[in-house]
Amino acid sequence: MAPIKRQARIVRSRKRSRCSFNTIVLSSFAATLLLILSFSAVQLLGVDHSLPPVHDVHQAILHGGGMSHLRGGHVSRNDHIWIRSDSQPFNEESVATKATHLIIVAGHSVLVSGDVDKAAFDESVWFLLDYQRNRGLPQAIVSHIQAGIQLALEDDKSLLVFSGGETRARTGPETEGGSYFRVADALELWDGHDAVQDEGDESPNLQSTRLRKGGAGPSIHKQSTVRARTITEEYATDSFENLLFSICRFHDVTGSYPEKITIVSFSFKQERFESLHAGALQWPIARFDYVGVDPPSSTGFDLNESSEGEKRNSLVPFTSDPYGCHTELLQQKRKERNPFARTPPYDLTCPEMKELLHWCGPELIPKASVPW
């Protein structure tokens, strides 16, 4: 009789297991149903229209978590997945390949937080070095992104490039260019929306820019094609490479070199880009424009202090070493900003630029050796 009793115990154990499993499943679906009803009631009352998808809520419950498994770990107005089925695909209707005007936004930092909705004002969203803190960097970065988009909105024959590589060892292989694109997506900036003003901050200071023509601020374009005309450049480690490598990325997309270049960065970097970098590339100054955008002084940004640092750390070294090949300071910066030992592929994709890509000077490259 002992084996029979043992078998009976096993059967009862299996029944209890099935009951426990059924209880868990029923509890899970009951909880999901309760959340669905709660979300529906909230949406009907008009409290929040950015609630997480029911599928995501269900998956979070089934996987043993709760709302903390969803993006950001909480529900807020901007907590949502920003790539949707109706997001504008790159080069839709060949708008990117038809470009003749290159617009470059030079990168300065990498995202380190999932709270991208705070990118315009919260320093913890960005990886900042000590000298970058309390200087209005979040406002500056988002203002640079917005300025680039605004310029692209004004010229439908433009290609916008967010330039900057994997520059920080501590952040992992995250690129500045990719971070900027992600912010433009998450904050829905492609139509000219101003995220900095929405946060109640002062308007950024625009220097040497056509954006101020007529005294008008950013305009909203409901039929914007800018997202379809935006790419990243993910190897640059300094401002010279921002310009040089972005020209090659333009060629990658269009098969030609730009007729005009516009760069967006801080106002105190204008001389560096306009006189030194463009000159080192033998780029015609008549086909070059610069847009300087600074954060307001209320953020802690000090233009005089920044200008002094610019002269000491960039203007003087690049004046004697236009290609950044010989000066110890410039060489060390490039080494530190390439912690993952990435090698740019532009020798292969832009063979006409090969001599320029490897030119070290200090004398300027002959005009006959550049493809423009």
Side-chain angles (χ1 to χ4, degrees), residues 100-101 103 150-159 229:
T100 59
H101 177 194
I103 300 171
Q150 189 64 35
L151 288 164
L153 285 168
E154 295 174 1
D155 183 359
D156 59 8
K157 288 295 184 68
S158 63
L159 181 73
R229 295 184 281 115

Side-chain angles (χ1 to χ4, degrees), residues 45-60:
L45 290 173
V47 177
D48 192 339
H49 295 285
S50 301
L51 296 166
V54 170
H55 172 75
D56 292 345
V57 176
H58 189 201
Q59 290 299 313

Side-chain angles (χ1 to χ4, degrees), residues 12-163:
R12 283 196 296 271
S13 175
R14 287 174 178 170
K15 286 182 178 179
R16 282 196 296 270
S17 297
R18 284 197 296 269
C19 289
S20 298
F21 177 76
N22 291 337
T23 300
I24 292 171
V25 172
L26 287 172
S27 298
S28 171
F29 279 99
T32 303
L33 181 59
L34 180 60
L35 283 171
I36 292 171
L37 293 174
S38 300
F39 291 164
S40 298
V42 172
Q43 288 178 318
L44 287 172
L45 290 173
V47 177
D48 192 339
H49 295 285
S50 301
L51 296 166
V54 170
H55 172 75
D56 292 345
V57 176
H58 189 201
Q59 290 299 313
I61 295 169
L62 289 179
H63 285 85
M67 296 307 292
S68 61
H69 280 237
L70 302 180
R71 182 184 300 279
H74 62 280
V75 180
S76 69
R77 179 176 61 85
N78 288 312
D79 246 346
H80 59 279
I81 297 173
W82 54 83
I83 305 299
R84 301 180 299 272
S85 60
D86 62 346
S87 292
Q88 192 174 53
F90 174 67
N91 201 30
E92 187 175 43
E93 299 182 1
S94 302
V95 291
T97 54
K98 297 174 183 177
T100 59
H101 177 194
L102 168 60
I103 300 171
I104 305 167
V105 175
H108 295 92
S109 188
V110 173
L111 281 173
V112 293
S113 169
D115 294 324
V116 189
D117 56 300
K118 300 177 182 177
F121 62 92
D122 190 343
E123 288 193 343
S124 69
V125 174
W126 300 95
F127 184 84
L128 301 180
L129 301 176
D130 289 342
Y131 77 90
Q132 294 176 310
R133 297 187 181 280
N134 303 311
R135 297 291 188 273
L137 257 294
Q139 292 90 335
I141 289 171
V142 175
S143 294
H144 291 172
I145 295 170
Q146 292 178 172
I149 290 173
Q150 189 64 35
L151 288 164
L153 285 168
E154 295 174 1
D155 183 359
D156 59 8
K157 288 295 184 68
S158 63
L159 181 73
L160 176 60
V161 179
F162 295 129
S163 173

Side-chain angles (χ1 to χ4, degrees), residues 123 133-140 201-202 294-302:
E123 288 193 343
R133 297 187 181 280
N134 303 311
R135 297 291 188 273
L137 257 294
Q139 292 90 335
D201 290 332
E202 296 176 45
D294 299 330
S297 58
S298 61
T299 64
F301 175 75
D302 187 323

Side-chain angles (χ1 to χ4, degrees), residues 130-333:
D130 289 342
Y131 77 90
Q132 294 176 310
R133 297 187 181 280
N134 303 311
R135 297 291 188 273
L137 257 294
Q139 292 90 335
I141 289 171
V142 175
S143 294
H144 291 172
I145 295 170
Q146 292 178 172
I149 290 173
Q150 189 64 35
L151 288 164
L153 285 168
E154 295 174 1
D155 183 359
D156 59 8
K157 288 295 184 68
S158 63
L159 181 73
L160 176 60
V161 179
F162 295 129
S163 173
E166 300 169 358
T167 55
R168 305 301 176 193
R170 191 171 297 176
T171 67
E174 297 287 336
T175 68
E176 294 176 351
S179 293
Y180 279 37
F181 193 102
R182 199 178 316 163
V183 168
D185 257 344
L187 299 185
E188 300 178 349
L189 302 178
W190 301 113
D191 62 355
H193 170 69
D194 190 337
V196 177
Q197 280 290 84
D198 281 356
E199 295 300 331
D201 290 332
E202 296 176 45
S203 298
N205 300 314
L206 305 181
Q207 307 292 334
S208 306
T209 169
R210 293 168 296 128
L211 295 178
R212 295 194 302 176
K213 279 188 176 180
S219 56
I220 301 297
H221 292 243
K222 293 183 178 180
Q223 301 300 321
S224 167
T225 64
V226 175
R227 192 178 192 274
R229 295 184 281 115
T230 300
I231 59 173
T232 60
E233 187 290 307
E234 301 188 332
Y235 290 91
T237 62
D238 61 23
S239 54
F240 177 75
E241 291 183 345
N242 286 140
L243 176 56
L244 177 64
F245 293 171
S246 293
I247 293 174
C248 190
R249 286 293 288 126
F250 184 95
H251 181 272
D252 291 345
V253 173
T254 67
S256 59
Y257 293 99
E259 296 177 4
K260 180 181 180 180
I261 297 176
T262 301
I263 293 182
V264 178
S265 190
F266 290 96
S267 65
F268 61 84
K269 295 187 178 185
Q270 182 168 356
E271 183 178 354
R272 190 203 314 185
F273 275 104
E274 197 169 69
S275 300
L276 299 181
H277 296 341
L281 302 184
Q282 297 287 8
W283 185 265
I285 193 63
R287 293 160 52 191
F288 185 90
D289 200 4
Y290 189 88
V291 174
V293 184
D294 299 330
S297 58
S298 61
T299 64
F301 175 75
D302 187 323
L303 180 58
N304 292 329
E305 180 184 13
S306 298
S307 298
E308 285 298 317
E310 167 71 5
K311 181 178 180 180
R312 180 175 59 255
N313 298 319
S314 296
L315 285 178
V316 171
F318 272 117
T319 297
S320 61
D321 183 14
Y323 302 93
C325 293
H326 307 290
T327 308
E328 183 178 354
L329 175 63
L330 298 179
Q331 283 288 286
Q332 185 63 26
K333 281 184 179 180

